[in-house]
Amino acid sequence: MGLIDQDTIDLGSGNKILTLSLNNPESRNSMTREMGLEFKKTIESLLDAPEKSKPRAVILTGKNGIFSAGGNFELLKSFSTKDFETNKKTMFEFYNLFLTVRRLDIPVICAANGHAIGAGLSLAFACDIRIFANEGKYQFNFVKLGIHPGMGSSYIVKELFGTHMANRLLFLAETLTGDEALRAGLCNDSVPQKEVLGRATEIAIALSESAPLALSELKKNTYDREKLEAALKKEAESQARNFISADFKETIKAIEQKRKPEFKGI
């Protein structure tokens, strides 16, 4: 069992649905480089597979009653000890590991079966369809940690929901429940946690009844990969500047001391 679990649902006639599960129980499915490398390898294996053997849809979910707590604390802490250029390169490469999901020519449904925070919520928004848990908490907490939003969120949220909603989620860092996210139009459905995967499976089966080539072409025309790539470069540069700031060092101390950080803008 790795950091990315795989399960297959056989639909008959050679058709199937693939479920990928984030599985890092020690840190609430936080996103590490090791997880990202495994995720990228899994996605690339789907990209390289013969058309007839590809699943008709992919479901992305989380084990351990949570989708993802976002960035791993030890990884974040390590950035405060590195220089600007190293961090800029590292962040750009790190986010691209997970955002390979945007390259898939197969519909991807995010079954966010629990909390999705920071980069974890960004990954959910990088999918085509989202099912949230009523009880889950969904938040972009980047600015609360003293860093610019990452994982493509500064572009993807605006691309999907417009500038007004992007400012609400990224500037104010609001925490929404699944029900609140549904009312705001951020997900396609919100159901009790135990029903999230089942609801996502229903949608995956419905998608499997459509022509895969048509869906593949639709995906190619829906998203602007060049603009996302440009946004990732800007995010990496901005975060690299933040990582060497006094405010970010204060964030690390505050987390370790279990208190609110006191930012001074330096």
Side-chain angles (χ1 to χ4, degrees), residues 1-8 18-25 28-31 35-36 38-39 42-43 46 58-68 98 108-113 123 197 201:
M1 302 270 294
L3 295 170
I4 306 294
D5 283 358
Q6 299 187 42
D7 294 292
T8 301
L18 177 65
T19 300
L20 303 178
S21 302
L22 308 180
N23 186 24
N24 191 0
R28 303 172 68 220
N29 296 344
S30 66
M31 301 162 79
M35 178 187 280
E38 191 173 333
F39 186 77
T42 302
I43 297 299
L46 293 173
V58 172
I59 297 173
L60 179 60
T61 190
K63 296 280 189 180
N64 324 305
I66 187 172
F67 183 66
S68 176
F98 288 96
V108 182
I109 305 159
C110 176
N113 56 314
L123 181 58
L197 188 56
T201 302

mmCIF file of all heavy atoms in Angstrom, residues 1-8 18-25 28-31 35-36 38-39 42-43 46 58-68 98 108-113 123 197 201:
data_model
loop_
_atom_site.group_PDB
_atom_site.id
_atom_site.type_symbol
_atom_site.label_atom_id
_atom_site.label_comp_id
_atom_site.label_asym_id
_atom_site.label_seq_id
_atom_site.Cartn_x
_atom_site.Cartn_y
_atom_site.Cartn_z
ATOM 1 N N MET A 1 0.859 -1.201 0.000
ATOM 2 C CA MET A 1 0.000 0.000 0.000
ATOM 3 C C MET A 1 0.893 1.249 0.000
ATOM 4 O O MET A 1 1.723 1.432 0.886
ATOM 5 C CB MET A 1 -0.886 0.010 1.240
ATOM 6 C CG MET A 1 -1.768 -1.205 1.389
ATOM 7 S SD MET A 1 -3.387 -1.069 0.614
ATOM 8 C CE MET A 1 -4.161 0.210 1.560
ATOM 9 N N GLY A 2 0.720 2.107 -1.035
ATOM 10 C CA GLY A 2 1.524 3.307 -1.120
ATOM 11 C C GLY A 2 0.764 4.522 -0.637
ATOM 12 O O GLY A 2 -0.251 4.420 0.053
ATOM 13 N N LEU A 3 1.260 5.692 -1.017
ATOM 14 C CA LEU A 3 0.608 6.938 -0.644
ATOM 15 C C LEU A 3 -0.577 7.246 -1.546
ATOM 16 O O LEU A 3 -1.385 8.122 -1.236
ATOM 17 C CB LEU A 3 1.626 8.077 -0.696
ATOM 18 C CG LEU A 3 2.775 7.975 0.317
ATOM 19 C CD1 LEU A 3 3.842 9.017 0.016
ATOM 20 C CD2 LEU A 3 2.249 8.140 1.734
ATOM 21 N N ILE A 4 -0.667 6.530 -2.682
ATOM 22 C CA ILE A 4 -1.813 6.635 -3.580
ATOM 23 C C ILE A 4 -2.376 5.232 -3.785
ATOM 24 O O ILE A 4 -1.750 4.392 -4.426
ATOM 25 C CB ILE A 4 -1.424 7.234 -4.956
ATOM 26 C CG1 ILE A 4 -0.711 8.578 -4.798
ATOM 27 C CG2 ILE A 4 -2.656 7.361 -5.840
ATOM 28 C CD1 ILE A 4 -1.587 9.681 -4.217
ATOM 29 N N ASP A 5 -3.528 4.964 -3.209
ATOM 30 C CA ASP A 5 -4.178 3.660 -3.379
ATOM 31 C C ASP A 5 -5.015 3.658 -4.651
ATOM 32 O O ASP A 5 -5.574 4.691 -5.030
ATOM 33 C CB ASP A 5 -5.079 3.349 -2.181
ATOM 34 C CG ASP A 5 -4.279 2.909 -0.961
ATOM 35 O OD1 ASP A 5 -3.052 2.805 -1.067
ATOM 36 O OD2 ASP A 5 -4.897 2.684 0.089
ATOM 37 N N GLN A 6 -5.123 2.488 -5.275
ATOM 38 C CA GLN A 6 -5.924 2.360 -6.494
ATOM 39 C C GLN A 6 -6.949 1.243 -6.345
ATOM 40 O O GLN A 6 -6.627 0.164 -5.859
ATOM 41 C CB GLN A 6 -5.028 2.054 -7.697
ATOM 42 C CG GLN A 6 -3.987 3.121 -7.993
ATOM 43 C CD GLN A 6 -3.250 2.860 -9.288
ATOM 44 O OE1 GLN A 6 -3.855 2.480 -10.291
ATOM 45 N NE2 GLN A 6 -1.938 3.064 -9.278
ATOM 46 N N ASP A 7 -8.178 1.536 -6.765
ATOM 47 C CA ASP A 7 -9.248 0.533 -6.795
ATOM 48 C C ASP A 7 -9.990 0.676 -8.116
ATOM 49 O O ASP A 7 -10.159 1.790 -8.625
ATOM 50 C CB ASP A 7 -10.226 0.733 -5.626
ATOM 51 C CG ASP A 7 -9.577 0.470 -4.277
ATOM 52 O OD1 ASP A 7 -9.241 -0.690 -4.011
ATOM 53 O OD2 ASP A 7 -9.404 1.439 -3.516
ATOM 54 N N THR A 8 -10.451 -0.455 -8.652
ATOM 55 C CA THR A 8 -11.133 -0.447 -9.938
ATOM 56 C C THR A 8 -12.544 -0.986 -9.804
ATOM 57 O O THR A 8 -12.777 -1.986 -9.114
ATOM 58 C CB THR A 8 -10.363 -1.300 -10.969
ATOM 59 O OG1 THR A 8 -9.040 -0.769 -11.120
ATOM 60 C CG2 THR A 8 -11.052 -1.283 -12.323
ATOM 61 N N LEU A 18 -11.752 4.058 -12.289
ATOM 62 C CA LEU A 18 -10.589 3.964 -11.413
ATOM 63 C C LEU A 18 -10.732 4.946 -10.256
ATOM 64 O O LEU A 18 -11.023 6.127 -10.473
ATOM 65 C CB LEU A 18 -9.309 4.272 -12.197
ATOM 66 C CG LEU A 18 -8.003 4.278 -11.389
ATOM 67 C CD1 LEU A 18 -7.693 2.888 -10.846
ATOM 68 C CD2 LEU A 18 -6.850 4.794 -12.245
ATOM 69 N N THR A 19 -10.548 4.453 -9.033
ATOM 70 C CA THR A 19 -10.551 5.317 -7.858
ATOM 71 C C THR A 19 -9.134 5.444 -7.318
ATOM 72 O O THR A 19 -8.473 4.441 -7.042
ATOM 73 C CB THR A 19 -11.464 4.761 -6.748
ATOM 74 O OG1 THR A 19 -12.798 4.664 -7.240
ATOM 75 C CG2 THR A 19 -11.453 5.669 -5.525
ATOM 76 N N LEU A 20 -8.662 6.675 -7.184
ATOM 77 C CA LEU A 20 -7.358 6.968 -6.591
ATOM 78 C C LEU A 20 -7.583 7.622 -5.236
ATOM 79 O O LEU A 20 -8.369 8.561 -5.123
ATOM 80 C CB LEU A 20 -6.556 7.917 -7.487
ATOM 81 C CG LEU A 20 -6.306 7.466 -8.928
ATOM 82 C CD1 LEU A 20 -5.551 8.551 -9.687
ATOM 83 C CD2 LEU A 20 -5.537 6.162 -8.960
ATOM 84 N N SER A 21 -6.913 7.104 -4.213
ATOM 85 C CA SER A 21 -7.104 7.613 -2.851
ATOM 86 C C SER A 21 -5.799 8.111 -2.261
ATOM 87 O O SER A 21 -4.805 7.372 -2.234
ATOM 88 C CB SER A 21 -7.672 6.512 -1.944
ATOM 89 O OG SER A 21 -8.889 6.008 -2.440
ATOM 90 N N LEU A 22 -5.802 9.367 -1.798
ATOM 91 C CA LEU A 22 -4.654 9.868 -1.040
ATOM 92 C C LEU A 22 -4.607 9.099 0.266
ATOM 93 O O LEU A 22 -5.625 8.943 0.940
ATOM 94 C CB LEU A 22 -4.812 11.369 -0.772
ATOM 95 C CG LEU A 22 -5.095 12.280 -1.968
ATOM 96 C CD1 LEU A 22 -5.208 13.731 -1.503
ATOM 97 C CD2 LEU A 22 -4.017 12.141 -3.033
ATOM 98 N N ASN A 23 -3.419 8.630 0.643
ATOM 99 C CA ASN A 23 -3.334 7.776 1.831
ATOM 100 C C ASN A 23 -2.054 8.056 2.610
ATOM 101 O O ASN A 23 -1.038 7.385 2.446
ATOM 102 C CB ASN A 23 -3.399 6.301 1.423
ATOM 103 C CG ASN A 23 -3.460 5.372 2.628
ATOM 104 O OD1 ASN A 23 -3.884 5.788 3.710
ATOM 105 N ND2 ASN A 23 -3.039 4.140 2.454
ATOM 106 N N ASN A 24 -2.113 9.083 3.447
ATOM 107 C CA ASN A 24 -0.995 9.433 4.312
ATOM 108 C C ASN A 24 -1.538 9.619 5.729
ATOM 109 O O ASN A 24 -1.686 10.739 6.213
ATOM 110 C CB ASN A 24 -0.321 10.721 3.811
ATOM 111 C CG ASN A 24 0.995 11.000 4.501
ATOM 112 O OD1 ASN A 24 1.432 10.242 5.360
ATOM 113 N ND2 ASN A 24 1.645 12.091 4.133
ATOM 114 N N PRO A 25 -1.896 8.501 6.391
ATOM 115 C CA PRO A 25 -2.620 8.580 7.664
ATOM 116 C C PRO A 25 -1.869 9.302 8.769
ATOM 117 O O PRO A 25 -2.496 9.883 9.666
ATOM 118 C CB PRO A 25 -2.859 7.102 8.027
ATOM 119 C CG PRO A 25 -1.827 6.338 7.255
ATOM 120 C CD PRO A 25 -1.633 7.113 5.992
ATOM 121 N N ARG A 28 -2.748 13.184 8.094
ATOM 122 C CA ARG A 28 -4.069 13.569 7.583
ATOM 123 C C ARG A 28 -4.043 13.831 6.072
ATOM 124 O O ARG A 28 -4.580 14.791 5.584
ATOM 125 C CB ARG A 28 -4.581 14.796 8.341
ATOM 126 C CG ARG A 28 -4.649 14.584 9.854
ATOM 127 C CD ARG A 28 -4.954 15.836 10.605
ATOM 128 N NE ARG A 28 -6.312 16.298 10.358
ATOM 129 C CZ ARG A 28 -6.652 17.569 10.194
ATOM 130 N NH1 ARG A 28 -5.738 18.512 10.234
ATOM 131 N NH2 ARG A 28 -7.900 17.905 9.982
ATOM 132 N N ASN A 29 -3.373 12.930 5.371
ATOM 133 C CA ASN A 29 -3.258 13.004 3.905
ATOM 134 C C ASN A 29 -2.606 14.302 3.439
ATOM 135 O O ASN A 29 -2.926 14.819 2.363
ATOM 136 C CB ASN A 29 -4.620 12.839 3.230
ATOM 137 C CG ASN A 29 -5.217 11.472 3.471
ATOM 138 O OD1 ASN A 29 -4.534 10.542 3.887
ATOM 139 N ND2 ASN A 29 -6.507 11.327 3.212
ATOM 140 N N SER A 30 -1.691 14.839 4.264
ATOM 141 C CA SER A 30 -0.970 16.040 3.819
ATOM 142 C C SER A 30 -0.127 15.688 2.599
ATOM 143 O O SER A 30 0.253 14.544 2.384
ATOM 144 C CB SER A 30 -0.091 16.575 4.950
ATOM 145 O OG SER A 30 0.944 15.653 5.263
ATOM 146 N N MET A 31 0.157 16.703 1.805
ATOM 147 C CA MET A 31 0.775 16.488 0.503
ATOM 148 C C MET A 31 2.283 16.663 0.585
ATOM 149 O O MET A 31 2.783 17.758 0.852
ATOM 150 C CB MET A 31 0.138 17.443 -0.505
ATOM 151 C CG MET A 31 -1.367 17.209 -0.611
ATOM 152 S SD MET A 31 -2.295 18.560 -1.346
ATOM 153 C CE MET A 31 -1.942 18.258 -3.069
ATOM 154 N N MET A 35 4.454 11.764 -2.007
ATOM 155 C CA MET A 35 3.093 11.527 -2.490
ATOM 156 C C MET A 35 2.930 12.096 -3.900
ATOM 157 O O MET A 35 2.328 11.471 -4.778
ATOM 158 C CB MET A 35 2.066 12.157 -1.550
ATOM 159 C CG MET A 35 0.622 11.972 -2.044
ATOM 160 S SD MET A 35 -0.592 12.889 -1.053
ATOM 161 C CE MET A 35 -0.772 11.784 0.356
ATOM 162 N N GLY A 36 3.477 13.290 -4.117
ATOM 163 C CA GLY A 36 3.367 13.927 -5.416
ATOM 164 C C GLY A 36 4.029 13.124 -6.519
ATOM 165 O O GLY A 36 3.493 13.002 -7.627
ATOM 166 N N GLU A 38 4.485 9.891 -6.554
ATOM 167 C CA GLU A 38 3.660 8.704 -6.791
ATOM 168 C C GLU A 38 2.392 9.075 -7.559
ATOM 169 O O GLU A 38 1.958 8.335 -8.458
ATOM 170 C CB GLU A 38 3.306 8.050 -5.454
ATOM 171 C CG GLU A 38 2.685 6.676 -5.593
ATOM 172 C CD GLU A 38 2.498 5.966 -4.262
ATOM 173 O OE1 GLU A 38 3.263 6.251 -3.314
ATOM 174 O OE2 GLU A 38 1.584 5.124 -4.168
ATOM 175 N N PHE A 39 1.818 10.216 -7.229
ATOM 176 C CA PHE A 39 0.621 10.689 -7.917
ATOM 177 C C PHE A 39 0.929 10.955 -9.393
ATOM 178 O O PHE A 39 0.193 10.518 -10.283
ATOM 179 C CB PHE A 39 0.112 11.961 -7.239
ATOM 180 C CG PHE A 39 -1.201 12.467 -7.766
ATOM 181 C CD1 PHE A 39 -2.388 11.854 -7.405
ATOM 182 C CD2 PHE A 39 -1.258 13.565 -8.614
ATOM 183 C CE1 PHE A 39 -3.614 12.315 -7.883
ATOM 184 C CE2 PHE A 39 -2.469 14.034 -9.101
ATOM 185 C CZ PHE A 39 -3.648 13.412 -8.735
ATOM 186 N N THR A 42 1.326 7.809 -11.350
ATOM 187 C CA THR A 42 0.027 7.170 -11.592
ATOM 188 C C THR A 42 -0.716 7.854 -12.734
ATOM 189 O O THR A 42 -1.267 7.196 -13.620
ATOM 190 C CB THR A 42 -0.829 7.215 -10.311
ATOM 191 O OG1 THR A 42 -0.122 6.562 -9.245
ATOM 192 C CG2 THR A 42 -2.170 6.524 -10.520
ATOM 193 N N ILE A 43 -0.732 9.177 -12.721
ATOM 194 C CA ILE A 43 -1.423 9.929 -13.767
ATOM 195 C C ILE A 43 -0.754 9.701 -15.120
ATOM 196 O O ILE A 43 -1.425 9.493 -16.144
ATOM 197 C CB ILE A 43 -1.458 11.432 -13.441
ATOM 198 C CG1 ILE A 43 -2.258 11.690 -12.158
ATOM 199 C CG2 ILE A 43 -2.046 12.221 -14.609
ATOM 200 C CD1 ILE A 43 -3.699 11.257 -12.201
ATOM 201 N N LEU A 46 -1.701 6.579 -16.827
ATOM 202 C CA LEU A 46 -3.001 6.672 -17.491
ATOM 203 C C LEU A 46 -2.881 7.408 -18.828
ATOM 204 O O LEU A 46 -3.518 7.048 -19.813
ATOM 205 C CB LEU A 46 -4.000 7.402 -16.596
ATOM 206 C CG LEU A 46 -4.420 6.679 -15.310
ATOM 207 C CD1 LEU A 46 -5.276 7.596 -14.451
ATOM 208 C CD2 LEU A 46 -5.164 5.398 -15.624
ATOM 209 N N VAL A 58 -12.237 8.807 -13.621
ATOM 210 C CA VAL A 58 -11.355 8.648 -12.455
ATOM 211 C C VAL A 58 -11.995 9.372 -11.279
ATOM 212 O O VAL A 58 -12.477 10.505 -11.415
ATOM 213 C CB VAL A 58 -9.953 9.232 -12.730
ATOM 214 C CG1 VAL A 58 -9.112 9.241 -11.455
ATOM 215 C CG2 VAL A 58 -9.239 8.439 -13.821
ATOM 216 N N ILE A 59 -12.016 8.720 -10.135
ATOM 217 C CA ILE A 59 -12.475 9.332 -8.888
ATOM 218 C C ILE A 59 -11.262 9.561 -8.006
ATOM 219 O O ILE A 59 -10.464 8.647 -7.780
ATOM 220 C CB ILE A 59 -13.486 8.436 -8.156
ATOM 221 C CG1 ILE A 59 -14.745 8.238 -9.002
ATOM 222 C CG2 ILE A 59 -13.858 9.042 -6.799
ATOM 223 C CD1 ILE A 59 -15.719 7.225 -8.429
ATOM 224 N N LEU A 60 -11.103 10.780 -7.514
ATOM 225 C CA LEU A 60 -10.010 11.104 -6.597
ATOM 226 C C LEU A 60 -10.598 11.372 -5.225
ATOM 227 O O LEU A 60 -11.457 12.245 -5.059
ATOM 228 C CB LEU A 60 -9.257 12.341 -7.100
ATOM 229 C CG LEU A 60 -8.088 12.824 -6.242
ATOM 230 C CD1 LEU A 60 -7.022 11.742 -6.097
ATOM 231 C CD2 LEU A 60 -7.481 14.099 -6.830
ATOM 232 N N THR A 61 -10.153 10.618 -4.223
ATOM 233 C CA THR A 61 -10.698 10.752 -2.878
ATOM 234 C C THR A 61 -9.578 10.607 -1.858
ATOM 235 O O THR A 61 -8.395 10.597 -2.207
ATOM 236 C CB THR A 61 -11.820 9.707 -2.648
ATOM 237 O OG1 THR A 61 -12.498 9.999 -1.420
ATOM 238 C CG2 THR A 61 -11.281 8.299 -2.628
ATOM 239 N N GLY A 62 -9.944 10.507 -0.575
ATOM 240 C CA GLY A 62 -8.951 10.364 0.477
ATOM 241 C C GLY A 62 -9.309 9.239 1.423
ATOM 242 O O GLY A 62 -10.486 8.972 1.659
ATOM 243 N N LYS A 63 -8.304 8.584 1.933
ATOM 244 C CA LYS A 63 -8.510 7.599 2.983
ATOM 245 C C LYS A 63 -8.569 8.317 4.333
ATOM 246 O O LYS A 63 -8.357 9.521 4.432
ATOM 247 C CB LYS A 63 -7.340 6.602 2.989
ATOM 248 C CG LYS A 63 -7.207 5.761 1.728
ATOM 249 C CD LYS A 63 -8.183 4.610 1.733
ATOM 250 C CE LYS A 63 -7.898 3.656 0.580
ATOM 251 N NZ LYS A 63 -8.846 2.520 0.552
ATOM 252 N N ASN A 64 -8.829 7.576 5.379
ATOM 253 C CA ASN A 64 -8.707 8.057 6.767
ATOM 254 C C ASN A 64 -9.713 9.149 7.135
ATOM 255 O O ASN A 64 -9.469 9.959 8.024
ATOM 256 C CB ASN A 64 -7.285 8.592 7.037
ATOM 257 C CG ASN A 64 -6.220 7.795 6.312
ATOM 258 O OD1 ASN A 64 -6.144 6.578 6.471
ATOM 259 N ND2 ASN A 64 -5.406 8.451 5.500
ATOM 260 N N GLY A 65 -10.868 9.196 6.433
ATOM 261 C CA GLY A 65 -11.917 10.135 6.799
ATOM 262 C C GLY A 65 -11.623 11.586 6.501
ATOM 263 O O GLY A 65 -12.243 12.487 7.077
ATOM 264 N N ILE A 66 -10.668 11.830 5.587
ATOM 265 C CA ILE A 66 -10.317 13.202 5.222
ATOM 266 C C ILE A 66 -9.861 13.194 3.776
ATOM 267 O O ILE A 66 -9.395 12.161 3.274
ATOM 268 C CB ILE A 66 -9.207 13.748 6.153
ATOM 269 C CG1 ILE A 66 -8.970 15.239 5.884
ATOM 270 C CG2 ILE A 66 -7.909 12.954 5.984
ATOM 271 C CD1 ILE A 66 -8.028 15.876 6.894
ATOM 272 N N PHE A 67 -10.017 14.327 3.085
ATOM 273 C CA PHE A 67 -9.459 14.412 1.741
ATOM 274 C C PHE A 67 -7.988 14.790 1.848
ATOM 275 O O PHE A 67 -7.115 13.990 1.576
ATOM 276 C CB PHE A 67 -10.233 15.414 0.888
ATOM 277 C CG PHE A 67 -9.736 15.466 -0.529
ATOM 278 C CD1 PHE A 67 -9.868 14.369 -1.362
ATOM 279 C CD2 PHE A 67 -9.113 16.598 -1.018
ATOM 280 C CE1 PHE A 67 -9.381 14.392 -2.666
ATOM 281 C CE2 PHE A 67 -8.637 16.644 -2.323
ATOM 282 C CZ PHE A 67 -8.764 15.531 -3.136
ATOM 283 N N SER A 68 -7.689 16.006 2.293
ATOM 284 C CA SER A 68 -6.286 16.373 2.510
ATOM 285 C C SER A 68 -6.188 17.612 3.379
ATOM 286 O O SER A 68 -6.899 18.596 3.174
ATOM 287 C CB SER A 68 -5.579 16.645 1.183
ATOM 288 O OG SER A 68 -4.250 17.095 1.425
ATOM 289 N N PHE A 98 1.283 17.360 -8.615
ATOM 290 C CA PHE A 98 -0.137 17.084 -8.374
ATOM 291 C C PHE A 98 -1.029 17.594 -9.505
ATOM 292 O O PHE A 98 -2.060 16.992 -9.808
ATOM 293 C CB PHE A 98 -0.571 17.698 -7.044
ATOM 294 C CG PHE A 98 -0.018 16.983 -5.848
ATOM 295 C CD1 PHE A 98 1.131 17.429 -5.228
ATOM 296 C CD2 PHE A 98 -0.640 15.846 -5.352
ATOM 297 C CE1 PHE A 98 1.658 16.763 -4.119
ATOM 298 C CE2 PHE A 98 -0.126 15.172 -4.251
ATOM 299 C CZ PHE A 98 1.028 15.624 -3.633
ATOM 300 N N VAL A 108 -12.464 13.612 -14.347
ATOM 301 C CA VAL A 108 -11.988 13.352 -12.985
ATOM 302 C C VAL A 108 -12.982 13.938 -11.994
ATOM 303 O O VAL A 108 -13.296 15.136 -12.041
ATOM 304 C CB VAL A 108 -10.595 13.953 -12.741
ATOM 305 C CG1 VAL A 108 -10.124 13.622 -11.319
ATOM 306 C CG2 VAL A 108 -9.592 13.447 -13.768
ATOM 307 N N ILE A 109 -13.463 13.098 -11.098
ATOM 308 C CA ILE A 109 -14.416 13.515 -10.069
ATOM 309 C C ILE A 109 -13.696 13.526 -8.729
ATOM 310 O O ILE A 109 -13.103 12.516 -8.323
ATOM 311 C CB ILE A 109 -15.603 12.540 -9.990
ATOM 312 C CG1 ILE A 109 -16.265 12.399 -11.367
ATOM 313 C CG2 ILE A 109 -16.613 12.993 -8.955
ATOM 314 C CD1 ILE A 109 -17.064 11.138 -11.511
ATOM 315 N N CYS A 110 -13.746 14.644 -8.035
ATOM 316 C CA CYS A 110 -13.171 14.704 -6.691
ATOM 317 C C CYS A 110 -14.248 14.348 -5.672
ATOM 318 O O CYS A 110 -15.264 15.028 -5.569
ATOM 319 C CB CYS A 110 -12.622 16.096 -6.387
ATOM 320 S SG CYS A 110 -12.019 16.239 -4.697
ATOM 321 N N ALA A 111 -14.022 13.269 -4.942
ATOM 322 C CA ALA A 111 -14.901 12.877 -3.844
ATOM 323 C C ALA A 111 -14.232 13.337 -2.551
ATOM 324 O O ALA A 111 -13.520 12.564 -1.887
ATOM 325 C CB ALA A 111 -15.124 11.366 -3.849
ATOM 326 N N ALA A 112 -14.415 14.607 -2.222
ATOM 327 C CA ALA A 112 -13.766 15.184 -1.041
ATOM 328 C C ALA A 112 -14.543 14.752 0.197
ATOM 329 O O ALA A 112 -15.420 15.462 0.681
ATOM 330 C CB ALA A 112 -13.700 16.701 -1.154
ATOM 331 N N ASN A 113 -14.186 13.586 0.691
ATOM 332 C CA ASN A 113 -14.947 12.913 1.744
ATOM 333 C C ASN A 113 -14.645 13.431 3.144
ATOM 334 O O ASN A 113 -14.945 12.763 4.136
ATOM 335 C CB ASN A 113 -14.647 11.410 1.694
ATOM 336 C CG ASN A 113 -13.159 11.130 1.814
ATOM 337 O OD1 ASN A 113 -12.348 11.780 1.158
ATOM 338 N ND2 ASN A 113 -12.798 10.162 2.630
ATOM 339 N N LEU A 123 -6.300 21.032 -5.144
ATOM 340 C CA LEU A 123 -6.342 19.786 -5.903
ATOM 341 C C LEU A 123 -7.780 19.408 -6.231
ATOM 342 O O LEU A 123 -8.078 18.938 -7.334
ATOM 343 C CB LEU A 123 -5.655 18.666 -5.112
ATOM 344 C CG LEU A 123 -5.589 17.292 -5.782
ATOM 345 C CD1 LEU A 123 -4.862 17.371 -7.119
ATOM 346 C CD2 LEU A 123 -4.909 16.286 -4.857
ATOM 347 N N LEU A 197 -18.381 8.983 -1.571
ATOM 348 C CA LEU A 197 -17.794 8.106 -2.589
ATOM 349 C C LEU A 197 -18.878 7.460 -3.449
ATOM 350 O O LEU A 197 -18.721 7.334 -4.677
ATOM 351 C CB LEU A 197 -16.914 7.040 -1.936
ATOM 352 C CG LEU A 197 -16.096 6.174 -2.885
ATOM 353 C CD1 LEU A 197 -15.217 7.029 -3.795
ATOM 354 C CD2 LEU A 197 -15.236 5.185 -2.099
ATOM 355 N N THR A 201 -19.371 7.853 -7.435
ATOM 356 C CA THR A 201 -19.438 6.664 -8.293
ATOM 357 C C THR A 201 -20.648 6.733 -9.217
ATOM 358 O O THR A 201 -20.565 6.373 -10.396
ATOM 359 C CB THR A 201 -19.487 5.389 -7.437
ATOM 360 O OG1 THR A 201 -18.324 5.337 -6.586
ATOM 361 C CG2 THR A 201 -19.510 4.143 -8.313
#
